[in-house]
Every structure is written in C-alpha cells, then in structure tokens.
Amino acid sequence: MLNIVFLDRASLPVAVRTPELPHHWQAFDATAPEQLLERAQEADVLISNKVVLDAASIAALPRLKHIAVAATGVNNIDLAAAQARGITVSHIRGYANSTVPEHALMLMLALMRNLPAYQRDLAQGLWQQSPYFCHFGAPVRDLHGRELLIIGGGSLGQGTARLARAFGMQVRFAARKGAQPQGEDYVGFEAGLRAADIVSLHCPLNADTRGLIGATELALMKPDAVLINTARGGLVDEVALLAALRAGRLAGAGFDVLHEEPPRQGNPLLEAGLANLIVTPHIGWASFEAMSGLAEQLIANIEAWAQGQPRNLVTPG
C-alpha cells in the first residue's frame, strides 16, 4: 500500500479525488520547511504544488519514490537530486491553455486602453468636470494591428497567440537569447524586443531564463511598449522594471507573478502606486475549470505511475 502525502492541499481549492489504488492518503493545508521531513518521512509519493523539495530534503526521505507536482512549473524541485535517487517526477500539462492566455489578454487590454488610469480619474471626479460628453485622459490604444512578441512557444504561448490573432494582432515568437530564429513566425530575441508593441512571457523559470528581462532588455523595448508576465516572477528584474516605468521608458506592465510569493516582505511593484502597472496575485491559472482539470490530471499521473505506465514525467535539463 502506498503512502501518499499532499503537502499543500489548500493551494488547490477544488475537489480532489483520491487515487483508485490501495493507498493511505494524508493531506496538509500547508507545510513549512521545518515541518517537511516529519510529514514526508513515510511517504512513497509526495504531492507538492509549491513546497520546496531540495537535494537535502530528498536525501533525507528514504521511502520516497515519486513526486507529483500539482503545477506545470517544477522550479521548486531539485530534479537532478531526484533523478540520482531514481525518484520520478511528474507535473501537469495543458490544463491552463485557455485560462492563462485569457488572463494575459485581459492585462494587455487593460493596459493598452489604460483602464486603471481611467478608474483613477473617475474616482477623482474628472468626468464630472469635463466640458465634453467624455473625459479625455490617458491615451487609448487598440490591440488590432499591434505586434505581439511571445517569449515561450509552448501550449500557453500558442494559446495566447491564437487569442491575439483573433484581435488582429501580428504575432511573433522570440528565439532563445543568442540563437538564430527558426521558422516563419520566429524572430531574434533582441530584434523582437525592439519591434514589439507588447511582450508576453510564457517560458519556464530555470538557470537559462532567470533574469531574462533586465535593464538591458527593457532598454531595447519601445517606450510605448507593454510587458506582460503570467509565467514566473524570477524572469524579470523587478527593480529595473519599476525604474523603466517611472522614467517613461516603458508604457505599462501587467504581472500575475512576483519574484517571491507570497510577498510577505513586501515588493516594490506592489508599493509603486502606478496607474500603468497592474499586479494580480498569481491567479491567471486559477479558474474553476482549469483547477478542476489540474486536480484530475494530478491524480491520473499518480495512478499511471503506480501502474508502471508513468506519464508527464520531468527530467533535468
């Protein structure tokens, strides 16, 4: 009988069925680092959404055979350490192909049409004071005809591309830094940043992408461009981003992710008070439909592994 431990059950606020196989199930709403080893000591299978399983933790769990990540991103797992121990790691694929692109498009629309600035103006009574039937404030721009650069050509990037094309946008995908573009829709990384009206991030966070967008990359972008990040906070230098926004070197930014989550120590983006900066609390993935699909896939991954037919496995790289 398998011992299965869900380390952060409250991070998935939808129904989660238990696997259809002999097992003992234990779930904790959340697990602090100092609680991990005690709770996971007898586990054959660990389920983690965001609880960190580093090399030291993995080495201290002799019974552990499989880690089921309740998310697509696996930057909280030391994959090399797991592989060295023969521990398989599965993750979730394709569950957010509609919800994350919709969130990205929402941020694009709100920023291009300056929705936060107009909400601020209304709160200050500026429409009531207007000599016209409308209030002309911040510039309003269409998505139609704009060039969108997508960094990350996986299912979320492709889903965002489909929605953007429906709005009449010209979509390009960025090649990796330093690589030659391959394919008709791909452009060089730096050339793409220079040409884009909107840049949307949909790539994983790893050693190659950490700090992908910093002061140098922001300086390449048009001063009237918009940056969207629904991927991972560590992709962008938040201090450099804020400096660019305040200096007028970037027209707007929409972020669903931050470098540290939750931001218990505060974050400069949350404290900026800028009308051209929208921050949402990592909810782009969290529609009921998407979370329900994730929950089903999570358990199906465990069942497949237990039956000797593992799927959705992740390897170091």
Side-chain angles (χ1 to χ4, degrees):
M1 180 177 294
L2 292 174
N3 285 331
I4 303 173
V5 178
F6 199 154
L7 295 170
D8 47 357
R9 173 66 181 87
S11 68
L12 190 56
V14 292
V16 179
R17 69 176 178 86
T18 55
E20 296 180 0
L21 51 87
H23 72 280
H24 176 262
W25 176 275
Q26 192 172 20
F28 300 94
D29 283 351
T31 297
E34 63 272 16
Q35 298 171 316
L36 173 61
L37 295 185
E38 179 184 358
R39 292 179 173 183
Q41 194 61 224
E42 301 300 317
D44 299 295
V45 177
L46 280 180
I47 302 173
S48 171
N49 189 333
K50 295 295 180 288
V51 174
V52 173
L53 294 169
D54 58 17
S57 301
I58 290 170
L61 299 173
R63 285 192 55 162
L64 186 59
K65 302 177 183 67
H66 183 72
I67 300 169
V69 180
T72 298
V74 293
N75 50 292
N76 57 318
I77 311 296
D78 190 320
L79 297 177
Q83 185 180 58
R85 276 272 316 278
I87 298 167
T88 51
V89 180
S90 61
H91 72 149
I92 308 300
R93 299 180 183 176
Y95 80 99
N97 291 352
S98 296
T99 191
V100 170
E102 286 183 15
H103 200 83
L105 263 289
M106 176 194 72
L107 292 172
M108 293 179 203
L109 283 165
L111 287 165
M112 291 293 283
R113 304 193 78 83
N114 268 304
L115 178 61
Y118 278 100
Q119 290 296 104
R120 179 194 60 190
D121 288 356
L122 284 173
Q124 295 175 352
L126 297 187
W127 192 10
Q128 294 90 317
Q129 302 168 30
S130 174
Y132 313 110
F133 69 95
C134 60
H135 163 64
F136 294 114
V140 174
R141 298 184 288 166
D142 294 335
L143 292 185
H144 183 87
R146 302 289 176 177
E147 180 156 325
L148 170 65
L149 179 71
I150 295 176
I151 300 178
S155 60
L156 300 183
Q158 295 292 342
T160 302
R162 285 192 294 273
L163 294 182
R165 291 185 179 114
F167 275 86
M169 301 183 74
Q170 303 298 314
V171 178
R172 299 289 182 268
F173 289 88
R176 292 178 182 269
K177 273 188 178 181
Q180 292 297 316
Q182 303 290 329
E184 182 179 346
D185 292 334
Y186 279 77
V187 294
F189 185 83
E190 292 186 355
L193 289 177
R194 290 190 180 97
D197 298 299
I198 301 173
V199 175
S200 191
L201 305 181
H202 298 278
C203 53
L205 177 63
N206 53 41
D208 294 329
T209 61
R210 188 174 296 277
L212 184 71
I213 304 294
T216 299
E217 291 74 24
L218 292 167
L220 296 175
M221 295 174 63
K222 299 176 180 179
D224 62 351
V226 165
L227 177 64
I228 306 295
N229 187 6
T230 56
R232 287 291 184 268
L235 297 172
V236 179
D237 181 333
E238 294 168 348
V239 174
L241 172 67
L242 190 54
L245 290 170
R246 285 176 167 159
R249 298 194 304 271
L250 193 69
F255 274 46
D256 188 46
V257 289
L258 295 176
H259 179 74
E260 180 184 5
E261 297 173 346
R264 301 195 193 282
Q265 308 305 315
N267 184 286
L269 300 187
L270 296 178
E271 299 153 11
L274 300 176
N276 60 344
L277 171 63
I278 301 174
V279 180
T280 54
H282 205 145
I283 55 165
W285 66 284
S287 70
F288 174 79
E289 295 84 354
M291 288 194 294
S292 297
L294 184 159
E296 175 57 31
Q297 188 180 150
L298 172 68
I299 301 305
N301 284 346
I302 295 172
E303 291 171 337
W305 169 81
Q307 294 162 4
Q309 299 175 327
R311 64 180 205 171
N312 296 337
L313 295 185
V314 189
T315 57

